[in-house]
Amino acid sequence: MTTPLLEVSDLSVGLRAGGVAYDIVRNVSLTVDQNEILAIVGESGCGKSLTALSILQLHASPPLQITGGSVVYGGSDLVRKTKKEMRGIRGSEIAMIFQDPMSALDPMFTIGSVLVSAVRAHQDVSKDVAEKIALEALADAGIEDPRRRFAEYPFQLSGGVSQRAMIALALVNSPKLIIADEPTTALDVTVQAQILDRLRALKNERGMSIMLITHNLGVVASVADRMAVMYAGEVVEMGAVSDVFAKPQHPYTTGLLGAVPRLGAGASDLVPIPGRVPQPDELPAGCTFADRCSRVVDSCRATRPDITVRGRVQVRCFNPVS
Amino acid sequence: MSTVVKRVLLTLLLLQLSSLAVFAAIRLSGGDVTAARLPASATAEDRELFREQIGLNQPILTQYVDYLGKVVRGDLGNSLTNNAKISTLAVEKIRNSLILGGAAIVLVFGIGIPLGMLAAFRRNTWLDTSISSAAVAGMAIPNFWLALLVVWLFSSTLGWFPPAGAGGFKYLVLPALVLAAEGIALTVRMTRSAMLENVGQDFVRTLRAAGLSESRVYFKHVLRNSLLPIISLAGLRVGQIIGYALVVETIFGWPGVGQILVNGVLRRDYPIVQFFSLLLVIVVTLGNLAASVGYTLANPRLRK
């Protein structure tokens, strides 16, 4: 087995402010291999975005801070890097794409000027060369008229074009990994498909890896190689997309898949998961899903299950669906 | 184009109405120039004769039409108290006021913006608290009192600057500072809150994620976004400075528009009051116009 591109081990991120101390992301371990798309799936507030942000240390600190674990990239732990070293990694080694492209771009500057700034933040090149790199990135991101878009401001772009501009911004310094935080959530369905196609094509053309954060299982099924399911700040199941979809083992994953509407099925075939997600400051001592779980056993309430290898996937459960 | 034409027409109407308002107000406020111009021993007949000579006994409307006709022909008239030609007086007074007002505007933005940024960077530290408290004080302290305070401290006690008068740079420091104080305070608060608001915007995270340095993110992107509200209110600052100039020039004996206008009102020197107050209306209008043009130029949404 080759060494993974990124290895997150036992990562916890918590809130530490004015007497308040609890973790929002708890003991997350996951890997991203070379040239693969790893999807992180979960409901809003499950900690998937925070996990992603904390990899690049872009979480709001204070009050949030990494309270344990490591993020190994290129043989060294990013958690221990200085601010300056992190700045060197952001954009050039690991880039990030955000959810709402309209508000994620500076309204006062042209797309081109931001791209050129990003190029020159990492590469010692002239303005002309930087401009050329920027134009290529815009074309690679699937923008049809790069020269025109280069000179435009964010308010002149549609949502889809804005998101492509964000992708271009992530591409300018040829990173090995792109973290895409709900890149299609704010877009129309047709545009969503185009953006996903583009991301998958970039992965193949450039041989890079993508960590795709989403709550949309359809997106996972169509583009991801592997997936990690998160619930209440923990990874509860992880494995190849085909394995997890074919034979989900964690009761939460089963529930998630059961809550997906299918063509030809009536509304009554949708099975909601009863109860609600526990808040990070009121987590039970045992399994976080115990209160909502149909397969709960005594040990679930007493101790917190570890994530363990079970067949071809990893599951955090005492009584998995076999 | 039509908005420009509309704006020019509105401005002309504004000037017309304010000239009428000033014209009437100064005449209806009681007393007249004979008190200042003629000796105390002058009889009632002497005073009446003088009024007749300068046309003060005509109906107000007749006087107004007469005045407008002269203004249109470029005749601004003479001072009633010393017969000096207003067009000659104006050059010197305007120059002096531009020096003082210009210095104050430079101070408002030159001190206000950097201090506001500093307070935002050091949010919730003693430095931020000191700057913000000073800004609140700067807004609360009336400028005439502040003037007395700085004269007491820097002239009487420390002897660093002359207490009043006009001359070199030394004479400019105290009046410019007092004139700018409230504007500086407001600019500090606006800059601080705009910077803090923009630091929390999504685009800041995007720029950080792209690997831009913190200084680049703050000094280029956050600052640029924060300048918009400051520019949009720059016209108000200009108007404020002009209003305060009346008080500050009088206290510091600065021979500018404010001083001559205040003296003109006290002596009921109608032509002086009419010309110089109209001048202030023009400057305030131009200041607002410049601010809205500046805002348009600084905002890509409006520029495109």
Side-chain angles (χ1 to χ4, degrees):
Chain A
M1 202 176 129
T2 54
T3 48
L5 181 63
L6 178 83
E7 184 166 16
V8 176
S9 312
D10 212 26
L11 182 72
S12 295
V13 186
L15 187 70
R16 296 285 185 276
V20 182
Y22 53 82
D23 285 351
I24 298 167
V25 168
R26 303 198 302 157
N27 311 97
V28 165
S29 296
L30 46 85
T31 56
V32 183
D33 289 331
Q34 308 276 357
N35 197 21
E36 78 159 356
I37 297 182
L38 170 75
I40 300 185
V41 204
E43 299 167 67
S44 327
C46 73
K48 54 193 194 297
S49 286
L50 184 56
T51 304
L53 284 172
S54 62
I55 288 171
L56 278 176
Q57 288 174 38
L58 287 170
H59 54 282
S61 165
L64 296 170
Q65 63 183 65
I66 294 173
T67 53
S70 62
V71 177
V72 176
Y73 175 89
S76 58
D77 184 0
L78 299 188
V79 174
R80 296 173 189 285
K81 297 263 184 206
T82 62
K83 279 188 174 174
K84 206 177 160 199
E85 288 170 328
M86 274 318 290
R87 189 187 80 67
I89 286 168
R90 289 180 195 140
S92 76
E93 297 289 334
I94 304 174
M96 195 154 176
I97 299 169
F98 296 96
Q99 178 169 356
D100 184 356
M102 301 298 219
S103 65
L105 290 166
D106 187 340
M108 300 293 286
F109 289 84
T110 59
I111 302 303
S113 75
V114 172
L115 288 172
V116 166
S117 294
V119 173
R120 288 168 46 118
H122 296 291
Q123 305 175 42
D124 189 16
V125 295
S126 72
K127 242 187 166 133
D128 287 350
V129 174
E131 206 173 303
K132 232 173 119 185
I133 295 172
L135 286 168
E136 279 164 18
L138 285 170
D140 275 0
I143 283 180
E144 289 189 357
D145 192 352
R147 230 162 241 298
R148 183 176 134 217
R149 301 305 189 190
F150 186 90
E152 286 188 334
Y153 289 89
F155 75 91
Q156 293 170 290
L157 310 180
S158 65
V161 176
S162 296
Q163 193 55 287
R164 288 176 201 274
M166 285 285 295
I167 294 174
L169 182 61
L171 288 178
V172 280
N173 291 302
S174 308
K176 297 192 183 68
L177 172 65
I178 288 183
I179 300 174
D181 186 0
E182 306 253 11
T184 58
T185 305
L187 305 175
D188 291 342
V189 182
T190 49
V191 181
Q192 279 186 19
Q194 293 166 9
I195 296 284
L196 290 173
D197 279 349
R198 198 60 236 153
L199 285 174
R200 192 168 38 193
L202 284 168
K203 173 210 145 192
N204 293 332
E205 289 160 15
R206 298 190 169 214
M208 59 183 199
S209 306
I210 296 172
M211 182 189 276
L212 181 69
I213 292 153
T214 181
H215 61 257
N216 186 331
L217 288 166
V219 167
V220 176
S222 66
V223 300
D225 301 308
R226 285 192 309 128
M227 66 191 282
V229 180
M230 282 188 75
Y231 179 79
E234 296 173 331
V235 173
V236 293
E237 180 158 5
M238 185 160 68
V241 170
S242 49
D243 292 333
V244 176
F245 270 72
K247 225 176 126 203
Q249 303 211 16
H250 195 286
Y252 177 65
T253 315
T254 327
L256 263 192
L257 293 171
V260 176
R262 281 169 216 285
L263 268 183
S268 57
D269 296 326
L270 278 183
V271 188
I273 305 174
R276 63 174 185 88
V277 187
Q279 293 299 304
D281 58 345
E282 51 175 39
L283 291 178
C287 174
T288 49
F289 191 61
D291 283 347
R292 305 174 72 186
C293 187
S294 56
R295 299 175 58 83
V296 64
V297 293
D298 286 347
S299 50
C300 297
R301 302 203 190 272
T303 40
R304 185 174 162 223
D306 280 331
I307 189 156
T308 47
V309 177
R310 206 166 176 282
R312 292 155 61 132
V313 302
Q314 297 174 52
V315 193
R316 193 188 282 278
C317 185
F318 289 125
N319 186 21
V321 185
S322 43
Chain B
M1 190 59 208
S2 68
T3 51
V4 176
V5 172
K6 209 163 142 191
R7 183 131 195 181
V8 169
L9 288 178
L10 273 176
T11 308
L12 288 175
L13 182 67
L14 175 75
L15 289 178
Q16 161 83 52
L17 288 178
S18 40
S19 74
L20 182 61
V22 168
F23 199 91
I26 188 70
R27 275 167 177 75
L28 296 175
S29 59
D32 66 24
V33 72
T34 57
R37 180 64 187 268
L38 300 180
S41 58
T43 61
E45 287 80 34
D46 293 338
R47 291 178 196 276
E48 195 49 42
L49 191 67
F50 182 73
R51 285 190 194 107
E52 204 164 313
Q53 278 173 358
I54 58 175
L56 287 188
N57 51 359
Q58 306 267 355
I60 284 191
L61 207 61
T62 319
Q63 290 184 44
Y64 182 65
V65 171
D66 188 40
Y67 157 72
L68 273 191
K70 282 183 175 162
V71 169
V72 169
R73 274 177 272 128
D75 178 9
L76 299 173
N78 294 25
S79 160
L80 292 183
T81 40
N82 59 11
N83 259 336
K85 262 181 92 73
I86 289 180
S87 47
T88 322
L89 271 177
V91 175
E92 188 209 331
K93 302 297 175 191
I94 291 174
R95 192 182 62 99
N96 286 338
S97 281
L98 279 181
I99 292 173
L100 181 59
I105 288 178
V106 168
L107 289 179
V108 164
F109 298 111
I111 294 180
I113 294 174
L115 272 188
M117 289 175 66
L118 196 61
F121 291 150
R122 300 270 177 271
R123 177 174 33 158
N124 299 334
T125 63
W126 64 269
L127 190 63
D128 175 28
T129 313
S130 326
I131 293 174
S132 301
S133 315
V136 171
M139 286 189 299
I141 296 175
N143 51 28
F144 56 87
W145 192 67
L146 183 65
L148 298 180
L149 210 65
V150 297
V151 167
W152 168 76
L153 182 64
F154 295 110
S155 301
S156 314
T157 312
L158 297 171
W160 292 354
F161 301 103
F169 177 73
K170 271 194 149 186
Y171 287 86
L172 181 61
V173 175
L174 293 187
L177 207 61
V178 171
L179 191 53
E182 190 175 322
I184 294 174
L186 285 164
T187 307
V188 164
R189 287 177 63 88
M190 276 181 64
T191 309
R192 179 182 181 277
S193 63
M195 292 287 290
L196 288 179
E197 188 190 318
N198 282 310
V199 160
Q201 298 288 321
D202 283 356
F203 71 79
V204 172
R205 199 177 54 186
T206 306
L207 295 168
R208 283 197 181 124
L212 267 65
S213 65
E214 293 293 295
S215 60
R216 191 132 202 161
V217 171
Y218 285 125
F219 289 104
K220 192 173 168 191
H221 294 270
V222 176
L223 179 61
R224 181 65 191 277
N225 278 274
S226 303
L227 283 182
L228 270 191
I230 296 168
I231 294 172
S232 75
L233 289 180
L236 276 186
R237 296 288 93 77
V238 171
Q240 203 172 36
I241 282 176
I242 287 168
Y244 291 165
L246 301 186
V247 175
V248 173
E249 285 188 0
T250 305
I251 292 177
F252 285 95
W254 186 267
V257 173
Q259 194 193 35
I260 197 175
L261 183 55
V262 169
N263 286 336
V265 170
L266 293 177
R267 292 175 188 158
R268 300 291 184 270
D269 194 338
Y270 301 156
I272 292 277
V273 175
Q274 281 150 209
F275 172 73
F276 286 102
S277 41
L278 209 56
L279 182 70
L280 297 191
V281 174
I282 292 174
V283 176
V284 171
T285 314
L286 288 180
N288 278 312
L289 184 68
S292 63
V293 169
Y295 185 77
T296 307
L297 289 180
N299 190 343
R301 268 172 200 273
L302 300 175
R303 192 168 62 224
K304 285 275 164 171

